[in-house]
């Protein structure tokens, strides 16, 4: 994250400013458009925060210490399947984002298209 984005500056940003910085943070090639891989990184960034608890000791992820070879194999198969399912879900979500928001159908999401999509989603949430 850029040095100027301190916790204090982030706390004082408007929702639109937060959206802009989130967009820019994932625009890796700095062309002011997000492609599918950049959207995948953005989705992974959001969902990785949700999954952090799964990787700590206890019953979830973790390092698998103390497991038998069979248990490790079962665990690895489970994690591989989960990864593949998550990846398919991400691809489906990205396809839907482009279908709903890539108004000029160029395969990229411009800042204007991103912002419009966020506004539409916010309006939908308010109606729920």
């Amino acid at each position: 994250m850029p040095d100027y984005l301190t916790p204090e500056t982030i706390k004082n940003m408007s929702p639109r400013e937060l959206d802009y910085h989130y967009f820019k943070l994932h625009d890796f090639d700095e062309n002011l458009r997000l492609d599918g891989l950049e959207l995948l990184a953005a989705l992974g960034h959001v969902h990785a925060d949700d999954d952090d608890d799964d990787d700590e000791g206890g019953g979830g992820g973790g390092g698998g210490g103390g497991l038998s070879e069979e248990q490790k194999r079962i665990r690895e198969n489970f994690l591989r399947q989960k990864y593949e399912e998550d990846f398919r879900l991400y691809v489906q979500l990205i396809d839907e984002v482009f279908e709903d928001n890539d108004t000029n159908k160029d395969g990229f999401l411009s800042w204007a298209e991103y912002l419009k999509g966020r506004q539409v989603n916010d309006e939908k949430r308010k109606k729920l």
Side-chain angles (χ1 to χ4, degrees), residues 49-63:
D49 290 342
D50 295 341
D51 292 341
D52 282 346
D53 295 337
D54 294 344
D55 291 337
E56 296 183 11

Side-chain angles (χ1 to χ4, degrees), residues 60-118:
L67 298 178
S68 70
E69 290 304 313
E70 178 67 10
Q71 290 170 323
K72 288 178 184 178
R73 185 186 63 74
I74 291 169
R75 180 179 174 277
E76 288 302 315
N77 285 337
F78 170 78
L79 293 174
R80 187 178 315 107
Q81 287 175 350
K82 183 179 181 325
Y83 171 82
E84 290 170 2
E85 289 171 9
D86 288 350
F87 185 76
R88 283 191 294 273
L89 174 64
Y90 290 155
V91 169
Q92 181 181 355
L93 286 171
I94 291 166
D95 288 346
E96 290 173 10
V97 166
F98 279 118
E99 181 67 30
D100 294 343
N101 300 295
D102 182 16
T103 55
N104 64 359
K105 305 300 181 201
D106 66 350
F108 294 95
L109 204 60
S110 68
W111 166 243
E113 291 168 330
Y114 175 87
L115 186 60
K116 179 68 176 168
R118 293 283 295 165

Side-chain angles (χ1 to χ4, degrees), residues 14-79:
S14 70
R16 187 171 183 168
E17 288 173 315
L18 287 169
D19 280 340
Y20 179 75
H21 287 285
Y22 186 79
F23 181 92
K24 288 289 294 172
L25 185 65
H26 294 94
D27 181 19
F28 302 127
D29 56 6
E30 299 180 356
N31 64 355
L32 298 176
R33 303 179 307 170
L34 299 180
D35 60 32
L37 292 176
E38 291 166 329
L39 281 176
L40 178 62
L43 283 172
H45 177 202
V46 170
H47 291 282
D49 290 342
D50 295 341
D51 292 341
D52 282 346
D53 295 337
D54 294 344
D55 291 337
E56 296 183 11
L67 298 178
S68 70
E69 290 304 313
E70 178 67 10
Q71 290 170 323
K72 288 178 184 178
R73 185 186 63 74
I74 291 169
R75 180 179 174 277
E76 288 302 315
N77 285 337
F78 170 78
L79 293 174

